[in-house]
Amino acid sequence: MVLYENNKEKYDSIPKEKFVQVQKDQEIHDVDFKTKPIGFFMDVWLRFVKNKASVIAAVIIFILSIFAIAGPSMSDYRYDEQHPELVNMPPKIPAIAKMNLGIFDGAYLLENRQYDNLSDPEKYPEGCVLEILNPRLVNGQRIVDVYVDYYKYMGLEDEDCYWLGSDYLGRDIWTRLWRGTRVSLLIAVISVCCNVFIGVIYGSISGYYGGKVDMVMMRITEIISAFPRIVVVTLFIMVAGTGMFSIIMSLVIKDWVDTARMVRAQFYRFKGREYVLAARTLGVPDMLLIFRHILPNSIGPIITSSMIAIPSAIFSESFLAYIGLGLQAPEPSLGVMLSRGQKVLLYFPSQLVFPAIVISLLMISFNLFGNGLRDAFDPTLRGAE
Amino acid sequence: MFRYIVNRILALVLTLFIIVSIAFMVVRLMPGSVYEMGGDLSQQVIDALNAKYHFDEPIIKQYYYFLENIFLHWDWGTSAKMRPGVPVFDILRDRIPISLQLNLVSLFAALPVGMAAGILAAIRKNTVVDYFVSLMVVLFISIPSFVFAAALQYFLGFKLGWFPIIYNVSAAGVARWHSMFLPILALSFDPIARVARYLRAELAETMNSEFMLLAKTKGLTYAQSTIRHGLRNSMLPMMNIIVPMFANVLGGSLVVETIFAVPGMGGLMVDSINASDHMLTVAILMFYSMISLITVLIVDISYGIVDPRVRIGGKK
């Protein structure tokens, strides 16, 4: 304005006709976007696939899930089929045993055997001796320790092999392992789904209505979250008995509170926004406002936190199995197999190794996957806890 | 601040009361009679037991006696199956020190290692060192402590024979610590990883702040500015994760103690549940509740002390 005030005469002397709109009848050179607009989930996907570790983790989770579904039917044994004559067999996979790698060859150490008997096909069937160790002379006898292929030693065909060995009741560990993985995953996924379901509804109502409703509802969650997790889970299992359902419920009973709090916080962030006000002015009912307009904003945090909750549910399940509150026999779970394997660790380590590998892989993959999802949903949180 | 702490302590007592009530009811309503243990008991003995422990009266009255005993005599009842006739509190008193020792030592052993790893990762950000630390953090946090415990027990204890396979109760001095090494190690992986991850994130952020630039402009060397300015500012928030970690470690030590046969609270809890020794179970659950509630309280109060901005309920 100062410019105009100072040069008033100069501007006023220009005749009005000289002022012309620049673009009046001209072609507009702006062009439409050639690329497609990227939606929220596409955006997340693009960010997610950039994170190599998370993608690998997702693939591992996928493979393990496939095995959990199909694994038990790949072996001829059933998960509860007992073979009292074949207890604690070592693992043997014929295809790998032929490669002479020293793993999965059904090797079992027989100590203090007479060397002269080794060539006796009655006692040691053809080809069962893998390695001879520690030859020594005791009382004029040639004594050795010998690694035998225990399946051949027992006179069993290759088709009858337990791929990952058998447990103390002669049950196939391969079948039990994958069935156990299935059970553990089911427990984790179902409990997390229940958490999310209860938490979302509770948190939405509490966050949306606010005021007294919010205060009362948050008091309740505070009381629940004050109870220590170990104590709640233990007490619940003691009341409800050890079954899959009661384990799931014991995990839900306290953990939904976290989801509820998170959803409530999201509601507080978004319920005052202008678009919500606009929708309300247009007469949108409360339920629609909650679930259609506000809740979708929290989809990212909800998915992320549920992914991170899965490994902790898997851990809790094994924890319960270790303290003797796991699933009832003969149903296997990773925790049950781990705690059984722990008892014979020093004699038959393979019974612990396989469930330990699977549970570690699951936990690592879910953690990495959860981290990747978090970074993808909310890049500002990258590298944070 | 004072009123806030008093309120919190009152809430804590109330919560403990609710927990002890629920635990008592749950445990009493469990199937299995106290009389099973002795086989055939004469009516006389049963009457005597009833007179002493009030088992024949309604559960509400039993509950009343239970609370009365706790509040007036600090009597938590008597163990029925694990060590018949021994007061529960005495059993706990034998067991608590060793559990606390195990947990505290593993936590304090983990702190310097975790901090060193975190600092190293932060000042060598985006190098091989950083990636290695990050990898270790993911592994240590994800793999359950009982898997570590089993691996250590098998390889270091059994195969190499460097350490005893299980905890040696009778040994004293060096031999005792020697046999306690594996459980401590197994428990310390998780805190190491958590401390390292937290400190790395915290320090990496501090290193980018302007006062660090100022410090360097004023002529401080890299080491001086990092230690005196960067590290100090990142240390404060550490408090917030160290205390809750203690409650975390306790949960894990339950299983690790059973694996290494450490005669602590963990093994006691497992045994008492399996033997359905009810009074003992109630007392142990109370112990765990108390520990975790006190931990939460300390965290909340320390927030206020460490960072006055979050202080609630104080004067205006």
Side-chain angles (χ1 to χ4, degrees):
Chain A
M1 284 311 276
V2 178
L3 199 70
Y4 175 71
E5 299 289 336
N6 293 350
N7 306 290
K8 214 164 180 205
E9 293 105 62
K10 217 195 255 173
Y11 286 121
D12 284 347
S13 63
I14 305 173
K16 239 176 199 169
E17 301 81 48
K18 285 212 168 179
F19 288 100
V20 186
Q21 283 183 341
V22 176
Q23 279 190 345
K24 196 155 188 191
D25 297 313
Q26 284 177 4
E27 194 190 347
I28 297 172
H29 290 285
D30 285 352
V31 278
D32 286 336
F33 285 118
K34 288 245 172 63
T35 48
K36 271 190 191 156
I38 293 178
F40 176 67
F41 285 102
M42 193 60 200
D43 200 27
V44 169
W45 172 250
L46 286 179
R47 275 199 294 266
F48 181 78
V49 291
K50 268 190 206 148
N51 191 339
K52 293 281 182 312
S54 309
V55 175
I56 294 172
V59 172
I60 292 176
I61 293 173
F62 181 72
I63 293 172
L64 286 177
S65 315
I66 295 287
F67 270 107
I69 295 165
S73 47
M74 285 161 76
S75 160
D76 295 334
Y77 294 99
R78 285 206 331 275
Y79 75 97
D80 55 353
E81 190 178 322
Q82 300 183 4
H83 291 274
E85 74 285 3
L86 297 173
V87 297
N88 295 326
M89 295 293 279
K92 179 180 181 184
I93 301 176
I96 297 180
K98 283 199 187 79
M99 290 188 268
N100 280 327
L101 297 173
I103 48 167
F104 295 114
D105 50 4
Y108 186 73
L109 182 65
L110 299 173
E111 285 177 336
N112 304 328
R113 301 290 154 149
Q114 290 196 1
Y115 182 74
D116 301 332
N117 286 346
L118 290 186
S119 48
D120 181 2
E122 288 283 305
K123 285 185 176 164
Y124 296 90
E126 177 76 33
C128 80
V129 177
L130 293 172
E131 199 181 356
I132 299 168
L133 299 169
N134 212 1
R136 56 197 185 271
L137 218 56
V138 179
N139 296 338
Q141 298 272 18
R142 285 191 291 178
I143 300 292
V144 289
D145 296 340
V146 58
Y147 268 116
V148 293
D149 178 341
Y150 208 66
Y151 291 89
K152 284 190 180 150
Y153 181 72
M154 300 275 286
L156 289 170
E157 296 297 318
D158 272 358
E159 289 82 58
D160 293 334
C161 285
Y162 292 112
W163 292 339
L164 302 183
S166 67
D167 68 1
Y168 71 112
L169 290 173
R171 295 178 296 198
D172 181 27
I173 288 185
W174 170 274
T175 318
R176 287 176 67 75
L177 178 68
W178 296 118
R179 195 179 164 90
T181 312
R182 182 197 294 176
V183 171
S184 290
L185 274 177
L186 269 182
I187 289 177
V189 170
I190 295 176
S191 72
V192 168
C193 286
C194 293
N195 281 345
V196 169
F197 183 73
I198 301 174
V200 162
I201 292 180
Y202 195 96
S204 321
I205 294 173
S206 171
Y208 181 76
Y209 290 106
K212 284 218 177 81
V213 178
D214 180 40
M215 210 184 75
V216 172
M217 290 177 93
M218 277 302 115
R219 277 289 122 164
I220 296 174
T221 62
E222 264 169 38
I223 292 171
I224 293 176
S225 65
F227 295 110
R229 195 184 150 108
I230 307 175
V231 176
V232 172
V233 173
T234 317
L235 276 178
F236 192 89
I237 301 274
M238 284 168 81
V239 179
T242 54
M244 196 159 148
F245 180 72
S246 61
I247 290 181
I248 291 172
M249 286 316 294
S250 76
L251 297 179
V252 172
I253 203 164
K254 189 169 146 57
D255 293 358
W256 65 267
V257 170
D258 299 332
T259 321
R261 284 204 178 140
M262 194 220 16
V263 173
R264 173 182 171 271
Q266 290 288 323
F267 265 76
Y268 264 73
R269 245 177 83 191
F270 288 104
K271 73 175 179 182
R273 295 278 168 98
E274 285 82 0
Y275 78 92
V276 178
L277 186 66
R280 191 179 284 134
T281 335
L282 288 172
V284 178
D286 279 356
M287 281 300 129
L288 211 60
L289 266 180
I290 292 178
F291 291 108
R292 181 76 206 271
H293 293 277
I294 309 182
L295 190 61
N297 284 311
S298 22
I299 193 92
I302 290 174
I303 293 179
T304 309
S305 73
S306 51
M307 273 304 142
I308 291 173
I310 285 182
S312 96
I314 295 176
F315 175 84
S316 304
E317 188 275 325
S318 344
F319 167 81
L320 283 173
Y322 260 104
I323 66 171
L325 296 173
L327 287 175
Q328 294 284 10
E331 191 66 54
S333 75
L334 286 178
V336 170
M337 296 190 68
L338 279 169
S339 66
R340 273 294 350 158
Q342 180 67 45
K343 294 196 169 79
V344 293
L345 172 65
L346 302 186
Y347 316 104
F348 309 105
S350 71
Q351 294 187 22
L352 180 84
V353 166
F354 298 118
I357 290 177
V358 171
I359 200 174
S360 307
L361 268 182
L362 271 183
M363 304 269 287
I364 294 171
S365 316
F366 269 109
N367 276 334
L368 284 177
F369 184 58
N371 287 349
L373 274 185
R374 184 199 56 205
D375 294 346
F377 274 116
D378 192 351
T380 56
L381 286 177
R382 181 161 300 163
E385 219 185 318
Chain B
M1 191 67 193
F2 177 72
R3 244 186 77 192
Y4 173 66
I5 295 178
V6 170
N7 278 343
R8 287 303 308 264
I9 290 175
L10 283 181
L12 186 147
V13 172
L14 191 70
T15 318
L16 276 182
F17 178 73
I18 296 173
I19 293 177
V20 80
S21 308
I22 296 176
F24 180 82
M25 294 298 167
V26 165
V27 159
R28 266 302 139 82
L29 296 176
M30 291 260 294
S33 158
V34 197
Y35 302 128
E36 277 166 17
M37 54 162 180
D40 299 324
L41 290 172
S42 69
Q43 190 58 40
Q44 216 174 353
V45 178
I46 292 179
D47 286 345
L49 279 173
N50 278 344
K52 194 172 175 197
Y53 298 120
H54 313 287
F55 285 137
D56 52 346
E57 292 184 47
I59 193 155
I60 298 292
K61 268 203 150 171
Q62 291 188 28
Y63 176 58
Y64 169 74
Y65 289 125
F66 174 71
L67 288 185
E68 192 187 20
N69 279 338
I70 292 176
F71 284 120
L72 296 183
H73 315 293
W74 196 243
D75 174 12
W76 283 86
T78 314
S79 167
K81 302 201 171 145
M82 298 273 299
R83 283 164 68 186
V86 180
V88 165
F89 191 69
D90 290 355
I91 302 183
L92 289 196
R93 209 168 40 197
D94 292 348
R95 299 287 196 118
I96 289 175
I98 188 155
S99 269
L100 283 186
Q101 208 174 31
L102 186 64
N103 286 301
L104 287 177
V105 170
S106 66
L107 198 55
F108 283 115
L111 280 184
V113 182
M115 277 161 60
I119 294 169
L120 210 62
I123 57 179
R124 296 265 179 278
K125 205 177 161 189
N126 294 333
T127 62
V128 183
V129 181
D130 184 24
Y131 297 143
F132 180 74
V133 171
S134 304
L135 178 72
M136 284 297 129
V137 164
V138 170
L139 290 185
F140 286 177
I141 284 184
S142 304
I143 298 177
S145 57
F146 38 79
V147 171
F148 276 124
L152 290 175
Q153 191 180 38
Y154 188 74
F155 290 111
L156 297 190
F158 182 66
K159 281 277 160 177
L160 296 174
W162 290 353
F163 300 96
I165 295 167
I166 57 169
Y167 176 74
N168 190 348
V169 189
S170 52
V174 178
R176 198 170 145 270
W177 286 105
H178 187 220
S179 70
M180 215 159 152
F181 185 78
L182 287 185
I184 288 174
L185 192 61
L187 283 177
S188 59
F189 284 121
D190 185 68
I192 287 177
R194 280 177 202 281
V195 170
R197 183 174 67 175
Y198 194 83
L199 193 60
R200 179 194 172 274
E202 201 65 44
L203 188 60
E205 206 184 313
T206 319
M207 299 280 277
N208 283 332
S209 55
E210 271 133 19
F211 65 80
M212 290 293 288
L213 193 63
L214 176 71
K216 272 176 225 158
T217 326
K218 277 162 67 184
L220 272 72
T221 63
Y222 184 74
Q224 278 173 330
S225 65
T226 310
I227 293 170
R228 290 192 200 157
H229 296 267
L231 210 50
R232 251 193 218 175
N233 277 294
S234 325
M235 278 309 173
L236 272 181
M238 285 279 293
M239 265 296 284
N240 302 336
I241 64 156
I242 291 172
V243 184
M245 237 157 35
F246 181 67
N248 248 344
V249 172
L250 258 188
S253 92
L254 236 145
V255 175
V256 172
E257 277 177 27
T258 10
I259 290 176
F260 288 102
V262 177
M265 294 297 291
L268 191 64
M269 173 155 164
V270 177
D271 291 345
S272 81
I273 289 173
N274 288 334
S276 53
D277 191 340
H278 298 331
M279 296 317 283
L280 193 56
T281 313
V282 172
I284 295 169
L285 290 180
M286 279 311 288
F287 167 75
Y288 277 111
S289 312
M290 200 118 67
I291 291 276
S292 73
L293 288 181
I294 291 174
T295 323
V296 175
L297 182 70
I298 294 176
V299 175
D300 284 358
I301 293 174
S302 69
Y303 272 131
I305 294 169
V306 171
D307 187 351
R309 282 170 298 181
V310 299
R311 203 173 287 167
I312 346 158
K315 280 178 193 153
K316 275 177 192 163

